[in-house]
Amino acid sequence: TLEAQLAYDADQLELILALKEYKDLGNTYADEWLAFSLKRLKTGAAQELAKTILETDSSLWWFSDKSDWWIKGKEE
């Protein structure tokens, strides 16, 4: 079912996120593992998300705007 495919892809995307972070930190094996994970994706939506993940530096997931949010929290 579509629901099963989406759940499966969510698991694969979780792995892809972790592998991308490992790659950005210098793990030389991450590219090989990423290639296999990408081939397992079943839906176009997951493939698009994976493409965006691979194009984005993992440090920017948290610090993209370098704002004071990390110091002050959400301002009212």
Side-chain angles (χ1 to χ4, degrees):
T1 66
L2 178 58
E3 291 84 2
Q5 290 178 3
L6 292 171
Y8 178 86
D9 279 353
D11 286 339
Q12 296 308 309
L13 288 168
E14 180 182 19
L15 177 59
I16 289 167
L17 283 164
L19 290 171
K20 176 61 166 102
E21 186 172 7
Y22 298 153
K23 176 182 174 174
D24 290 350
L25 292 172
N27 185 315
T28 57
Y29 299 104
D31 275 329
E32 183 179 353
W33 300 333
L34 271 167
F36 290 112
S37 298
L38 293 168
K39 289 179 184 179
R40 289 193 296 257
L41 294 173
K42 297 185 181 293
T43 64
Q47 292 165 357
E48 286 295 316
L49 282 169
K51 181 181 176 197
T52 301
I53 290 166
L54 296 177
E55 293 172 351
T56 306
D57 185 311
S58 63
S59 69
L60 298 179
W61 297 338
W62 296 103
F63 297 108
S64 62
D65 64 5
K66 311 288 191 227
S67 71
D68 286 341
W69 184 91
W70 292 100
I71 300 167
K72 301 175 187 175
K74 182 178 178 182
E75 294 187 23
E76 298 177 31

